[in-house]
Amino acid sequence: MRLQDKVAVVTGSSRGLGAAIARAFAREGCKVAVTYSKNEGAAHELAKDIGAALVMPLDVRDRGMIRAVYEKTVAVYGRLDILVNNAGVNRTNDFDKQTDAEWSEVIDVNLTGVFRCCQEVLPFIADKGRIINIGSLSGQYGGPRTPSYACAKAALMALTHNLARFLGPRGICVNCLSPGVIGGEFTEKTMSPAVRETALSLMLLKRFATYEEMTGAAVYLASDESSYMTAQTVSVNGGAWV
Ligand SMILES: NC(=O)c1ccc[n+]([C@@H]2O[C@H](COP(=O)([O-])OP(=O)(O)OC[C@H]3O[C@@H](n4cnc5c(N)ncnc54)[C@H](OP(=O)(O)O)[C@@H]3O)[C@@H](O)[C@H]2O)c1
């Protein structure tokens, strides 16, 4: 029970990595506010499974919705200790074909969305709290077929540094968890077979991760065990970035 009596908001926890992190946090005794963008049914099912009392709609492009999530979390659970900025989208395209609309959407959700969620959480998050930004190997490797996504995720590492400086005096640790490639819907939609083969060849472990394999690092970064760790990027990528 490494997160006993802690309270977490996980953005985009209706499915995928956000749902896996919500489950892992709940197993460690954390009260989780589950949030969804479109998949309300999946979010409610997850909440039932993990005994979460809070399920809320959240679009990270909307400051009013972000504030409402924090207000309700504090009203129902009594506090807020951990924010996981997990919500993300990808619009795969070669550099010369990426449209302004694709670029803007990915930056708006994956980078500006995190900025908004972090700025709005300041009056709500407890001192000595934790902010975990979900980055990506793509932001360390430059894509390859995801210019907007790679740039947003690379910038998240700088945002992590900047916010860690700002929140250091409050004892709030801000870190970035950077997954490699996780097998699942997100990867199915964004990787061609050729890109998949190249990615696998670069990985020392020669396989994609499971969502569950990201949760150990997430629990560590959320727990008291990481109390002297801030402004870091933790890469969990099967040895793809050496
Ligand atoms: N999968 C990978 O290989 C991989 C690798 C590296 C990093 N990551 C990162 O890990 C995170 C989760 O990825 P995933 O694989 O779990 O993706 P996913 O299965 O596509 O799930 C994305 C989640 O984000 C939510 N979401 C989408 N747009 C949103 C918005 N505007 N506001 C709030 N929530 C929104 C979705 O909600 P709904 O279900 O309600 O639509 C869903 O819960 C992302 O930040 C991604 O960049 C993934």
Side-chain angles (χ1 to χ4, degrees):
M1 290 292 179
R2 292 148 78 199
L3 303 177
Q4 188 71 50
D5 300 328
K6 307 268 189 212
V7 172
V9 169
V10 182
T11 71
S13 39
S14 46
R15 59 196 161 97
L17 180 57
I21 290 174
R23 283 182 196 280
F25 279 14
R27 278 196 301 272
E28 296 293 343
C30 187
K31 290 183 189 131
V32 181
V34 175
T35 67
Y36 62 92
S37 166
K38 296 191 188 89
N39 283 297
E40 183 176 359
H44 278 281
E45 257 176 54
L46 171 72
K48 206 169 130 198
D49 277 3
I50 66 174
L54 267 179
V55 185
M56 289 169 283
L58 172 65
D59 187 328
V60 296
R61 294 168 295 188
D62 182 330
R63 280 186 184 267
M65 287 179 100
I66 296 168
R67 270 195 298 274
V69 164
Y70 299 148
E71 277 163 8
K72 205 156 174 205
T73 299
V74 172
V76 172
Y77 288 150
R79 54 189 293 120
L80 202 177
D81 304 284
I82 304 156
L83 168 64
V84 182
N85 286 303
N86 164 80
V89 293
N90 198 353
R91 300 290 174 253
T92 317
N93 226 335
D94 287 321
F95 181 83
D96 58 345
K97 301 202 176 57
Q98 182 107 82
T99 64
D100 282 359
E102 287 168 346
W103 176 274
S104 300
E105 183 191 2
V106 172
I107 298 292
D108 200 13
V109 174
N110 294 11
L111 177 59
T112 318
V114 176
F115 164 68
R116 291 184 196 102
C117 288
C118 290
Q119 209 176 44
E120 294 295 340
V121 87
L122 297 176
F124 297 96
I125 192 165
D127 288 352
K128 300 192 178 166
R130 298 283 190 275
I131 295 179
I132 303 169
N133 297 323
I134 302 299
S136 171
L137 172 63
S138 182
Q140 296 161 300
Y141 178 75
R145 286 198 68 241
T146 54
S148 52
Y149 183 81
C151 290
K153 294 295 189 181
L156 268 194
M157 291 188 280
L159 180 67
T160 298
H161 298 157
N162 182 270
L163 188 59
R165 282 183 199 282
F166 184 75
L167 289 177
R170 288 180 59 189
I172 296 173
C173 298
V174 186
N175 291 291
C176 178
L177 168 55
S178 178
V181 183
I182 307 166
E185 199 187 325
F186 192 90
T187 300
E188 291 295 320
K189 276 197 272 184
T190 56
M191 271 194 165
S192 68
V195 171
R196 187 190 312 261
E197 284 313 306
T198 309
L200 280 172
S201 73
L202 292 172
M203 276 160 201
L204 302 187
L205 295 181
K206 303 297 171 204
R207 64 176 178 84
F208 294 154
T210 63
Y211 284 118
E212 190 59 33
E213 286 177 305
M214 300 298 134
T215 61
V219 169
Y220 170 70
L221 291 175
S223 75
D224 293 340
E225 292 158 36
S226 61
S227 55
Y228 200 61
M229 184 160 172
T230 194
Q232 303 303 310
T233 293
V234 178
S235 298
V236 185
N237 61 25
W241 183 250
V242 287

